[in-house]
Amino acid sequence: QVQLVESGGGSVQAGGSLTLSCAASRYSASTDCMGWFHQAPGKEREGVAIIGGIGSTVYAPSVKGRFTISLDNTKKTLSLQMNSLKPEDAGMYYCAAGVRSSAGFCYLLSRTYNSWGQGTQVTVSS
């Protein structure tokens, strides 16, 4: 498994911005997927954004146009730039790593990831 350490959470007002970072112990662009998942209080963990080795990205409809995921292959660091934050964006954000499917795809599904960080808290006040 991959060790993942998130940072960058905090408190902002609605409309504000935050950047989350995740340092990975290893990453292979040819085989791995990485992503961010969000868990609001009392709700299930949901996919926010994922990125594949060639830079292909997938976003949840609720964040498309507001969040940007990026990956520094050299530093093995995953980032999530969150703009125009809404109160419903609040909760824990988890970094995840997994292996591509046999067809070479990465999915926005938590069950397809086998390594998780400890999470970082995001609070958005209205």
Side-chain angles (χ1 to χ4, degrees), residues 11-27:
S11 297
V12 294
Q13 290 190 329
S17 298
L18 279 176
T19 300
L20 307 182
S21 295
C22 173
S25 60
R26 61 173 175 84
Y27 175 77

Side-chain angles (χ1 to χ4, degrees), residues 59-116:
Y59 292 92
S62 60
V63 306
K64 203 167 187 179
R66 300 188 297 122
F67 291 10
T68 303
I69 189 171
S70 60
L71 177 62
D72 184 325
N73 289 356
T74 302
K75 296 181 179 179
K76 299 188 291 292
T77 300
L78 183 72
S79 298
L80 184 69
Q81 174 66 43
M82 305 187 294
N83 298 326
S84 303
L85 282 160
K86 304 176 180 180
E88 53 264 41
D89 295 322
M92 289 294 289
Y93 282 77
Y94 297 91
C95 175
V99 179
R100 292 189 193 179
S101 71
S102 56
F105 295 110
C106 297
Y107 298 100
L108 204 57
L109 296 171
S110 60
R111 59 181 170 82
T112 63
Y113 295 80
N114 57 7
S115 296
W116 294 86

